[in-house]
Amino acid sequence: MDSNKILLTSMLAATTAFAATAYQNQVGFLTNGPKHIAVTDAAGKEIIFKDADGKTALTVTAPDAILWESANEEASLVNFSELTTPGTYQAYLDGEAIGHPIIISDNALEGVTKASLKFFYFQRSSTELTEEFAGKYARAMGTPDTAVMYHPSTGRTDLTSTFNGAKGWYDAGDYGKYIVNSGISTYTLLQLYQHNKDYFDTLDLNIPESKNDVPDILDEIRWNIEWMLTMQDSDGGVFHKLTTKQFAGMVLPEKVVKQRYAIGKSVTATWDFVGVTALAADIYKPFDPEFAAKCAQAAADARWWARENPRAYYSQPSDVGTGTYSDGNAIDEKIWGSAELFRITGKPEFLEEVLRNPISKQRSKLPAWQTVYALAAFTIATNPHLFGEAEVDSSRNLIFTLADSYIDMPDNGYGLAIDNADFYWGSNSAVANKGMVLIHAYILSKEKKYLDAAQGLLDYLLGRNPLDISYLTGWGVNQVLHPHHRPSEGDTVEMPVPGMLVGGPNSSANDCAKSHIDADAPAKSYYDNSCSYATNEVAINWNAPFAYLAGSLQAIAATGKVYEVGASKPEPYDLDAIAVTKPGAKIRAAGNRLIFKNGAVQVEKTLRDGSIRYFNLKGAISKGNR
Ligand code: 9MR
Ligand code: 9MR
């Protein structure tokens, strides 16, 4: 270290020894919600909150400072929840302003809710974004995806033909469209709607469909589901992804002219597809029964393929370099897809699939693109009237095991249910997904502690973190400016597209953020530079739980209502009536064979719909069959 540096370092040390630093949500606090600010070097001192006229509105003595290991910093968590008059405030310590303006409002989270949903519009493939809806982020259509070719990895042999794979959302900073990641993202947004209908029925997102009679959030989600439906092959299986062979440069989508392919056909993509289309079949029914029935049929067809190809895991072909989303365990996807199918049909065979793989405590895993047990648990626990007691108990158990593990984390000065283990690629989505778990725990128990912890996690994403940064583009005093996002890099607008949650600190980032890794403070291992996809990319599966978290908190506050467990009573789909011909089942349909079952020789008869019945040799249907 040269002498100048030493001088600078000691000067900085001297200033930080006296000056307090405050970290807070930079966007806004709900009027009656919990309000906290993390302040360093403040223990025992008075923090004064002044209103816009400079009048003292509240004085709070800062409690003892506690270490937050992930920040490698001690801070006092100052609670100013008593401030419940909407307005703008400023905190002071020793006569100096600390932190940022504090905004308190009944609609404090409406702006970020809308923005995080509008992101999905900005990610639309196969359409131009017009100024009316995109403002200065208007752009030409790129990747129409109306003539997509089959990569040999799909198993197709007509490799010179094309299909229409239009619509859908770009996954992230790249222009790929990936079914697996669409699975959890689309489910999360559908649930945001389902759990907060009163609020979202009228929320205007200013998208091309805003004037129709369908809630905007559902119009936006449908854009992606329509693409997902195009990815189903004639045998029911679902292609894994739709991308160019290699990533494009950091350009606008109109510059992406290389051929796009359907690549792979996987069991994980197919089960994820089942989960989404089955849920959509219920949610879209009141708005468009025909579309809803199409989704139900697609789910049923996909399920056949997934069941018969349980080990069709995705493996990246050697000539392909785009995202992999590969996952060698499809049990969680199968449980989830089967649970959704059972919910909309009441058919016992789908429940059996859930029961064969019980949701146990060991399966208490945070939702993520590759781990979706929790999605099944969310659906089952909020529909106790449709599922059996055992599944409901184990699903509740999964949710509360996770939620309580957050609540029971040792206190830290930032007041956050986040620890060192959370700082991997997409850490901000881990934070948001914890929020989604906590909101489910609140829905199921109505215990305020869960909702308050969820608010804390949102505060972290919006600025209560050791970098004093809001990780949502376009929002906050110190906001992310350089996300890894091709449209934002490729256009001429200075600011990035707003409403995008970046991946966040990643203690094992292996890109240009490597030199920004702080081994002692994983929560600081972040680089606001578009070169860093491992800390600063955006993605649909990160924005979706953010929208769920902010949107649910805002909706619950605005409506004074919490989703009523057991409220949804889907009119069961009669899958027999919508002709569940097992795709490609022609040969099997004729099949009768003799097998040894239940201690006797029986006839196994495969019916035209692909279902199987057993008969004893006298022709009577044997017991316990389906
Ligand atoms: O832009 C790509 C991003 O979406 C991926 O998450 C990331 C990791 O697979 O890769 C990014 O693309 C980079 C590529 O891997 C290597 N060359 C530079 C590309 C743009 O930064
Ligand atoms: O979110 C994915 C993360 O869990 C993985 O560790 C990472 C590397 O494989 O890939 C992330 O997903 C990227 C995808 O492969 C391509 N589009 C961008 C996604 C976000 O970075």
Side-chain angles (χ1 to χ4, degrees):
M1 203 186 268
D2 64 31
S3 56
N4 276 345
K5 255 197 182 149
I6 293 171
L7 189 65
L8 189 67
T9 322
S10 57
M11 273 169 60
L12 281 176
T15 21
T16 47
F18 300 110
T21 314
Y23 306 106
Q24 65 169 91
N25 170 337
Q26 300 171 13
V27 171
F29 297 88
L30 291 165
T31 309
N32 295 308
K35 303 174 193 75
H36 294 91
I37 185 167
V39 192
T40 66
D41 304 290
K45 294 188 180 170
E46 284 195 338
I47 312 286
I48 298 174
F49 294 86
K50 294 187 179 172
D51 65 17
D53 299 328
K55 277 206 270 297
T56 298
L58 180 73
T59 303
V60 181
T61 304
D64 286 348
I66 310 177
L67 176 74
W68 184 33
E69 217 189 307
S70 304
N72 195 22
E73 250 174 44
E74 289 187 355
S76 301
L77 186 67
V78 176
N79 183 345
F80 62 101
S81 306
E82 277 175 44
L83 272 190
T84 51
T85 308
T88 303
Y89 300 82
Q90 178 67 51
Y92 289 84
L93 172 62
D94 294 337
E96 303 268 346
I98 55 168
H100 306 291
I102 292 166
I103 294 153
I104 299 181
S105 142
D106 291 349
N107 297 319
L109 304 178
E110 186 158 297
V112 293
T113 298
K114 282 183 170 183
S116 59
L117 289 171
K118 185 71 179 263
F119 162 70
F120 293 90
Y121 167 73
F122 286 117
Q123 293 294 99
R124 284 189 187 189
S125 165
S126 319
T127 182
E128 75 172 316
L129 307 186
T130 61
E131 219 184 308
E132 184 182 0
F133 309 110
K136 60 183 172 186
Y137 301 98
R139 59 165 170 79
M141 171 169 74
T143 65
D145 287 345
T146 44
V148 177
M149 291 179 86
Y150 300 101
H151 187 272
S153 57
T154 55
R156 299 276 303 211
T157 47
D158 47 346
L159 299 182
T160 50
S161 63
T162 62
F163 74 100
N164 185 348
K167 299 197 175 176
W169 301 312
Y170 298 134
D171 184 54
D174 65 312
Y175 293 126
K177 303 194 289 197
Y178 306 82
I179 289 288
V180 165
N181 207 35
S182 272
I184 183 169
S185 308
T186 311
Y187 168 90
T188 300
L189 294 178
L190 285 172
Q191 292 297 23
L192 172 61
Y193 172 72
Q194 174 154 272
H195 294 164
N196 304 283
K197 282 187 183 165
D198 285 356
Y199 183 75
F200 286 99
D201 271 342
T202 56
L203 195 76
D204 186 351
L205 299 177
N206 185 32
I207 55 176
E209 299 80 7
S210 286
K211 292 206 173 65
N212 70 15
D213 293 336
V214 180
D216 284 5
I217 184 173
L218 291 187
D219 280 322
E220 191 51 60
I221 299 169
R222 183 168 170 164
W223 187 269
N224 199 52
I225 296 174
E226 286 186 5
W227 164 66
M228 291 179 81
L229 292 170
T230 72
M231 293 289 277
Q232 185 167 39
D233 202 358
S234 50
D235 61 2
V238 179
F239 302 127
H240 192 72
K241 62 178 176 180
L242 192 169
T243 72
T244 43
K245 285 190 181 173
Q246 304 300 332
F247 286 120
M250 298 302 281
V251 295
L252 282 169
E254 67 205 76
K255 300 265 169 60
V256 179
V257 291
K258 291 230 168 90
Q259 180 62 42
R260 308 247 292 173
Y261 293 87
I263 302 173
K265 185 192 279 183
S266 71
V267 61
T268 48
T270 304
W271 276 123
D272 283 338
F273 175 99
V274 171
V276 168
T277 48
L279 180 57
D282 174 33
I283 291 186
Y284 287 89
K285 206 183 214 174
F287 303 101
D288 186 344
E290 218 172 290
F291 173 68
K294 189 175 165 190
C295 289
Q297 177 73 64
D301 293 349
R303 179 252 185 185
W304 275 114
W305 190 90
R307 234 169 59 129
E308 291 187 6
N309 296 276
R311 272 171 289 280
Y313 304 120
Y314 179 72
S315 104
Q316 180 94 316
S318 57
D319 59 337
V320 174
T322 49
T324 57
Y325 289 117
S326 50
D327 169 9
N329 179 351
I331 303 227
D332 47 336
E333 286 82 4
K334 180 179 184 172
I335 298 174
W336 171 42
S338 304
E340 298 297 345
L341 266 177
F342 177 70
R343 180 174 166 269
I344 64 159
T345 61
K347 288 231 162 194
E349 54 261 52
F350 301 134
L351 186 61
E352 274 164 33
E353 227 129 38
V354 176
L355 293 174
R356 255 198 297 278
N357 300 285
I359 293 173
S360 59
K361 232 180 159 137
Q362 296 85 278
R363 293 178 165 167
S364 300
K365 302 249 166 68
L366 186 64
W369 62 261
Q370 67 277 60
T371 318
V372 296
Y373 295 111
L375 309 193
F378 290 162
T379 289
I380 296 170
T382 51
N383 290 278
H385 54 309
L386 301 179
F387 290 86
E389 207 181 308
E391 303 91 81
V392 173
D393 281 353
S394 53
S395 295
R396 289 179 62 101
N397 200 338
L398 182 150
I399 294 165
F400 286 107
T401 300
L402 287 174
D404 289 332
S405 74
Y406 311 150
I407 299 282
D408 297 340
M409 274 186 180
D411 282 350
N412 59 65
Y414 279 70
L416 299 170
I418 306 173
D419 65 19
N420 288 0
D422 293 318
F423 292 98
Y424 45 82
W425 192 315
S427 62
N428 282 341
S429 72
V431 172
N433 274 309
K434 283 185 172 185
M436 185 169 178
V437 169
L438 286 162
I439 287 173
H440 278 80
Y442 177 70
I443 288 173
L444 296 170
S445 70
K446 310 281 189 292
E447 281 188 60
K448 209 170 147 287
K449 63 178 180 187
Y450 296 118
L451 200 63
D452 289 358
Q455 176 67 57
L457 295 174
L458 184 69
D459 287 351
Y460 166 87
L461 297 173
L462 297 176
R464 200 211 296 169
N465 58 60
L467 297 175
D468 188 29
I469 191 169
S470 163
Y471 289 114
L472 192 74
T473 58
W475 292 83
V477 179
N478 293 330
Q479 48 185 260
V480 169
L481 294 174
H482 309 288
H484 182 85
H485 181 239
R486 282 169 172 71
S488 297
E489 280 293 290
D491 68 12
T492 53
V493 184
E494 196 192 331
M495 296 294 275
V497 167
M500 308 194 291
L501 182 74
V502 295
N506 175 358
S507 54
S508 37
N510 212 2
D511 58 8
C512 63
K514 214 171 173 168
S515 53
H516 293 253
I517 292 179
D518 184 337
D520 300 322
K524 294 181 178 171
S525 302
Y526 168 76
Y527 189 23
D528 183 11
N529 190 312
S530 62
C531 66
S532 178
Y533 40 84
T535 72
N536 216 27
E537 189 164 355
V538 305
I540 56 172
N541 65 318
W542 304 342
N543 252 69
F546 178 92
Y548 186 93
L549 174 58
S552 300
L553 290 169
Q554 177 62 66
I556 291 169
T559 60
K561 280 194 217 160
V562 187
Y563 180 68
E564 198 187 312
V565 170
S568 101
K569 304 229 158 39
E571 175 79 8
Y573 274 95
D574 181 356
L575 284 187
D576 293 334
I578 59 170
V580 262
T581 310
K582 181 174 155 287
K586 283 174 259 81
I587 308 156
R588 253 191 89 173
N592 280 353
R593 59 182 189 132
L594 292 179
I595 56 145
F596 194 73
K597 190 175 188 285
N598 296 341
V601 176
Q602 300 200 1
V603 181
E604 182 189 85
K605 187 177 172 69
T606 305
L607 304 182
R608 293 239 359 234
D609 69 357
S611 65
I612 296 170
R613 297 280 185 280
Y614 297 97
F615 299 87
N616 63 31
L617 288 176
K618 288 185 195 113
I621 297 179
S622 68
K623 264 210 164 135
N625 285 327
R626 50 149 294 260

